[in-house]
Amino acid sequence: MARRLALHWQILIALAAAVAAGVFGGPDAAIGGLPLVEVYGFLGTIFLNALKMLIVPLIASSIIVGMVGMGDSAAVGRLGIRTLVYYTVTTLLAILTGLVLVNVFQPGIIGGRPAGEVLHLGTLPASVAQKVEGHGMGELVRVILRMIPENVVAAASDNGRMLAVIVFSLLFGFFMMRIPEPGAGTLKAFWQGVLDVMMGITDLVMRIAPLGVFGLVAKTVANTGFAAFRPLLGFFAVVVAGLLFHSAVTLPLLLRFAGGIRNPYDHVKAMAPALLMAFSSSSSSATLPLTLECAERRAGIPRRIASFVLPLGATVNMDGTALYECVAAMFLAQAYGLHMGFGTQFVVVLMALLTSVGVAGVPSASLVAITIILSAIGLPLEALGLILVVDRVLDMMRTAVNVFSDSCGAAIIARRLDAGNPTADATDAEPA
Ligand code: ASP
């Protein structure tokens, strides 16, 4: 029997076909009166919904199983601190990369004049205005408050509030192992079973991944096209260069020197299906089932580590998003002719770091975070209108970087913890 094409190749082919279909068909193509964009939308939505339905049980079960796998509180503490340090350091490195590039290339200045005078500053569409209004500095406080939900079932009913589910699951897992038998053992078997079932359903959903990816991307390309990009090419290029630098230089260097992984390319190859999925869906959360599967089965990261680090990362670790927020805020400040001194730039860096933690892993989530930064540095919310045209495609790229950084974190932490504890049980990994 002929060998099946590897999943990442299938998805890549679907991506190429989607770009071709979107570009050549445009937004009005139809077959027998049926608009093709609707067909693409249908395919994409089925696939995304199938993944999204897994998020809540997957996050809960994988974090609980991860906590149980770690055993004593000291091990939980070690893993927690390493995870926190990795997430903070890489996010900061990403932001600084963006900050340097945006200062060097100044995409917001065109021909010596603020871009706002050259391009007409767009007005904010009502749908976006509604989404971002009322999100000021208080939003930061609200993020912290949302971590402790007053009703965990209500929080679990909203894919945008996963931080609350994570906190609850961490507590649940921690105290589950401290209750007497038979409760502890029964619960452990239950949650392990839930996790296995979720991974099984993920396998099934992944079979339609190429079709889903085709639908998602073809719809975006057909609706957006490429012409609208031209005036924002400078901004676009700076974001892409920053994302590329972070994922092709910074993170591989960390994999090599902090994680001792000889060939970082192998890690990229193992994670490829998840990265392509992140790119196509623009959602770290929707990609989580696949991120976990690739990390455990293809990259050989032990389950007890992957199932703790990755769900957390999908919500709180967003290197690509933080870089984008910083470049976008600086670009808009340049475009409005606002002078940005050292102090103000420091505020931007800090706010990008903090807000990237609160941003949900869903499409275009950073727009809200950017408005928080804009109000902090004194720019009107309408400024956001300027970058909306390119946001969709940049969202795809930054989401892929977000997921890549999570996976690098899991790989590095796994290596370091096992190096410090050579007797660690590595059998919980399921190699490809
Ligand atoms: N779409 C991004 C993610 O899911 C978040 C964002 O930057 O908008 O990771």
Side-chain angles (χ1 to χ4, degrees):
M1 203 176 78
R3 263 186 68 202
R4 267 184 64 196
L5 201 58
L7 184 60
H8 57 277
W9 285 116
Q10 291 183 33
I11 298 181
L12 263 178
I13 293 169
L15 265 174
V19 172
V23 168
F24 294 117
D28 305 316
I31 288 183
L34 181 67
L36 282 184
V37 174
E38 279 185 20
V39 178
Y40 303 152
F42 176 75
L43 290 175
T45 307
I46 286 198
F47 179 53
L48 266 193
N49 283 359
L51 283 170
K52 285 183 189 166
M53 77 180 176
L54 301 175
I55 296 176
V56 173
L58 192 62
I59 286 190
S61 60
S62 72
I63 289 190
I64 293 170
V65 168
M67 291 291 280
V68 172
M70 273 177 285
D72 62 282
S73 343
V76 174
R78 272 198 302 277
L79 181 61
I81 288 177
R82 278 183 165 80
T83 308
L84 214 68
V85 169
Y86 172 86
Y87 286 165
T88 314
V89 169
T90 53
T91 306
L92 259 182
L93 288 174
I95 297 173
L96 293 177
T97 304
L99 190 68
V100 170
L101 289 175
V102 80
N103 273 307
V104 171
F105 293 105
Q106 308 229 332
I109 312 281
I110 298 181
R113 286 167 48 213
E117 294 173 13
V118 185
L119 314 166
H120 59 281
L121 286 174
T123 47
L124 216 50
S127 57
V128 180
Q130 209 182 11
K131 197 166 153 190
V132 300
E133 239 150 48
H135 285 279
M137 291 289 276
E139 180 69 10
L140 285 182
V141 179
R142 276 198 287 275
V143 166
I144 298 171
L145 283 180
R146 275 208 309 264
M147 284 184 181
I148 320 275
E150 58 176 355
N151 182 333
V152 71
V153 180
S157 69
D158 177 355
N159 281 344
R161 291 176 63 190
M162 285 307 106
L163 211 49
V165 178
I166 289 177
V167 171
F168 184 80
S169 307
L170 285 171
L171 287 170
F172 192 98
F174 189 81
F175 286 101
M176 196 179 100
M177 293 321 285
R178 281 158 187 77
I179 61 170
E181 293 296 350
T186 310
L187 281 173
K188 186 176 167 192
F190 170 78
W191 285 107
Q192 180 66 57
V194 173
L195 180 57
D196 290 341
V197 170
M198 288 306 123
M199 298 302 267
I201 302 181
T202 305
D203 271 347
L204 177 73
V205 176
M206 285 326 295
R207 299 212 183 145
I208 59 159
L211 215 58
V213 163
F214 172 82
L216 289 169
V217 178
K219 183 175 172 206
T220 307
V221 176
N223 281 334
T224 322
F226 289 108
F229 279 38
R230 231 155 266 150
L232 287 170
L233 220 53
F235 169 65
F236 188 81
V238 165
V239 176
V240 173
L243 293 176
L244 268 178
F245 184 87
H246 191 66
S247 46
V249 179
T250 310
L251 292 176
L253 280 177
L254 283 175
L255 277 176
R256 175 84 181 80
F257 293 106
I261 293 167
R262 285 246 163 72
N263 188 355
Y265 180 67
D266 286 344
H267 178 76
V268 177
K269 227 167 85 184
M271 295 305 301
L275 301 181
L276 291 169
M277 175 60 203
F279 180 82
S280 313
S281 67
S282 300
S283 170
S284 308
S285 298
T287 310
L288 182 63
L290 193 51
T291 316
L292 275 166
E293 177 156 309
C294 290
E296 287 178 16
R297 302 219 174 129
R298 294 168 56 106
I301 298 170
R303 174 172 277 188
R304 73 197 144 81
I305 305 227
S307 55
F308 177 87
V309 177
L310 294 174
L312 209 62
T315 318
V316 307
N317 181 47
M318 301 208 172
D319 295 6
T321 293
L323 183 149
Y324 178 71
E325 285 177 26
C326 172
V327 175
M330 291 295 298
F331 166 76
L332 293 174
Q334 291 169 357
Y336 270 78
L338 197 74
H339 172 72
M340 297 287 279
F342 180 79
T344 326
Q345 299 207 18
F346 182 74
V347 170
V348 171
V349 169
L350 206 66
M351 303 263 312
L353 181 68
L354 292 176
T355 52
S356 73
V357 174
V359 163
V362 297
S364 294
S366 358
L367 291 182
V368 171
I370 294 172
T371 57
I372 300 175
I373 304 182
L374 292 185
S375 58
I377 58 178
L379 278 176
L381 293 191
E382 286 76 40
L384 201 60
L386 203 58
I387 57 170
L388 285 184
V389 188
V390 285
D391 183 70
R392 191 69 191 81
V393 177
L394 291 177
D395 196 4
M396 299 164 92
M397 298 184 186
R398 65 184 184 253
T399 308
V401 175
N402 290 345
V403 170
F404 183 51
S405 172
D406 299 343
S407 75
C408 292
I412 292 171
I413 292 166
R415 286 294 186 101
R416 292 191 77 92
L417 281 181
D418 284 349
N421 176 19
T423 55
D425 176 19
T427 51
D428 50 357
E430 293 177 57

